[in-house]
């Protein structure tokens, strides 16, 4: 069965829009884009459009590629203090002269809707998080729609980045699964994958994971988004062969991607509610 991320994300957006319609003050999201990387510009535009669609107040802030670290930090500080803004997102990657980590740490953790601030990551580690990184949280929402109980399941996360692999592993552990995290040095990945009830691929290598590495009846979540030479998109999983083995599988495009943006909106609403309750 296909896990239809587009459809699940649409339902989530409708539910958010319904809640926003009842609010006096609209939840506000600021997205900062530095430079003119075309892929980042598309992501930012999609996020801005998604905000407007659900009735959020959206601020799209474009800064030139030669902005200094100090100028960028003072922009973040301005947004930290702005009462209209509940969520702040700095589109990554930043130009190489800027220190992305310092910028993320400058965001007020209560407005950190990407969930990348060390305070929010620390809370995720302790299973106390309320602003959780969007992509892994979106994957958990997708897994929930299958009705599969993750407790005691063998799960493998292929990839260990700070934004996807590591928080993904923590989400699965928090759901009481048994989790293996793989990286580029992992020995005999196919043998490990053959044991897994749930596979999450977040590597960045097109079609790397083959169908005959997948256990019969497994759930396969493909986070990868890779642009092929012909301009088309492919995931990290070889979809055609993997779908012969998997009970549930996500397509690329139309899988995890739409969930990331819908979860960003969900996090912004969560941050809004927390601020309103104070
Ligand atoms: P990174 O490049 O930051 O991390 C890749 C990870 O994969 C690293 O931990 C690396 O290991 C590991 N890796 C590399 N080669 C192998 C291998 N042969 N076997 C096992 N592990 C390997 O990537 P991201 O996590 O940022 O992104 C991963 C993919 O997900 C990309 O395609 C990206 O475009 C996509 N993505 C999609 C999103 C969505 O919304 N759907 C959101 C974010 C990302 P090591 O630690 O040893 O280097």
């Amino acid at each position: 069965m296909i896990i239809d991320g587009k459809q699940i994300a649409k339902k989530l957006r409708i539910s958010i829009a319904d809640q926003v319609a009842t609010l006096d003050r609209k939840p506000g999201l600021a997205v900062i884009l530095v430079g003119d990387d075309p892929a980042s510009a598309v992501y930012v535009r999609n996020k801005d459009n998604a905000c407007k669609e659900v009735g959020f107040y959206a601020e799209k802030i474009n800064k030139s590629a030669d902005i200094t670290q100090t100028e960028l930090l003072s922009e973040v500080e301005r947004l930290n203090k702005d009462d209209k803004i509940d969520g702040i997102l700095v589109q990554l990657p930043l130009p190489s002269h800027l220190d992305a980590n310092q910028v993320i740490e400058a965001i007020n953790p209560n407005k950190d809707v990407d969930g990348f601030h060390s305070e929010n990551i620390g809370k995720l580690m302790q299973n106390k998080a309320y602003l959780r990184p969007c992509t892994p949280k979106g994957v958990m929402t997708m897994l929930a729609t299958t009705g599969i109980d993750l407790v005691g399941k063998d799960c493998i996360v292929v990839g260990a980045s700070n934004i996807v692999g590591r928080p993904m592993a923590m989400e699965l552990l928090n759901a009481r699964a048994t989790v293996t995290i793989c990286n580029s040095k992992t020995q005999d990945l196919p043998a490990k994958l053959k044991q897994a009830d749930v596979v999450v691929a977040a590597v960045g290598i097109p079609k790397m994971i083959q169908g005959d590495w997948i256990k019969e009846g497994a759930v396969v979540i493909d986070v990868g988004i890779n642009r092929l030479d012909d301009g088309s998109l492919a995931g990290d999983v070889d979809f055609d062969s993997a779908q012969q083995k998997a009970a549930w599988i996500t397509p690329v495009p139309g899988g995890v991607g739409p969930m990331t943006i819908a979860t960003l909106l969900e996090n912004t609403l969560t941050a809004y509610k927390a601020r309103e309750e104070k």
Side-chain angles (χ1 to χ4, degrees):
M1 303 247 269
I2 304 287
I3 307 178
D4 186 346
K6 241 182 174 169
Q7 206 49 38
I8 303 164
K10 189 175 168 193
K11 270 196 193 151
L12 188 54
R13 290 201 312 267
I14 290 170
S15 139
I16 293 167
D18 288 348
Q19 292 177 65
V20 172
T22 66
L23 302 173
D24 292 334
R25 181 177 77 79
K26 301 302 172 200
L29 176 68
V31 181
I32 304 178
L33 172 65
V34 180
D36 45 18
D37 174 62
S40 293
V42 171
Y43 289 136
V44 168
R45 197 171 59 231
N46 290 345
K47 287 167 186 172
D48 191 56
N49 288 341
C51 278
K52 289 179 180 146
E53 213 184 284
V54 296
F56 282 4
Y57 167 72
E59 247 182 66
K60 187 154 81 81
I61 300 159
N62 290 305
K63 294 288 176 190
S64 73
D66 60 2
I67 189 172
T68 65
Q69 181 80 6
T70 311
E71 286 165 341
L72 185 54
L73 289 173
S74 62
E75 187 63 27
V76 169
E77 202 40 47
R78 178 185 74 75
L79 294 166
N80 281 341
K81 291 186 186 136
D82 187 336
D83 281 339
K84 296 190 298 304
I85 299 299
D86 302 283
I88 303 168
L89 182 152
V90 179
Q91 185 65 41
L92 301 176
L94 291 174
S96 57
H97 69 283
L98 297 169
D99 178 348
N101 203 41
Q102 194 187 30
V103 174
I104 290 166
E105 293 300 309
I107 297 172
N108 176 345
N110 297 322
K111 294 189 176 188
D112 167 41
V113 283
D114 248 344
F116 294 160
H117 192 286
S118 55
E119 187 174 317
N120 288 319
I121 291 290
K123 285 181 179 162
L124 180 68
M125 292 283 291
Q126 297 175 328
N127 200 6
K128 288 178 189 156
Y130 89 104
L131 291 176
R132 297 148 54 192
C134 298
T135 302
K137 185 182 176 199
V139 169
M140 295 309 282
T141 306
M142 296 175 98
L143 286 171
T145 65
T146 65
I148 290 167
D149 184 4
L150 292 170
V151 177
K153 291 284 189 302
D154 284 321
C155 299
I156 287 201
V157 180
V158 191
S161 70
N162 285 339
I163 62 168
V164 190
R166 285 164 196 254
M168 185 71 247
M170 223 27 73
E171 287 282 359
L172 292 165
L173 184 64
N174 290 342
R176 311 205 67 215
T178 302
V179 188
T180 304
I181 315 172
C182 302
N183 58 42
S184 62
K185 306 293 180 212
T186 296
Q187 305 284 309
D188 202 355
L189 185 62
K192 289 186 172 59
L193 285 174
K194 271 182 200 146
Q195 308 292 320
D197 303 307
V198 177
V199 175
V200 181
V203 185
I205 302 177
K207 303 186 185 185
M208 184 188 93
I209 294 173
Q210 301 295 310
D212 57 5
W213 303 2
I214 304 289
K215 178 173 155 183
E216 193 80 44
V219 181
V220 177
I221 307 286
D222 192 351
V223 178
I225 302 178
N226 307 291
R227 179 82 55 193
L228 303 181
D229 290 342
D230 66 2
S232 64
L233 290 181
D236 292 341
V237 175
D238 181 44
F239 183 87
D240 293 338
S241 62
Q243 72 164 335
Q244 311 291 326
K245 293 292 215 46
W248 295 89
I249 188 165
T250 62
V252 177
V256 177
M259 289 304 295
T260 297
I261 295 191
T263 307
L264 171 70
L265 302 174
E266 193 182 31
N267 275 355
T268 305
L269 188 57
T270 301
Y272 167 94
K273 286 179 183 167
R275 284 187 66 226
E276 287 294 305
E277 278 164 17
K278 273 191 183 158

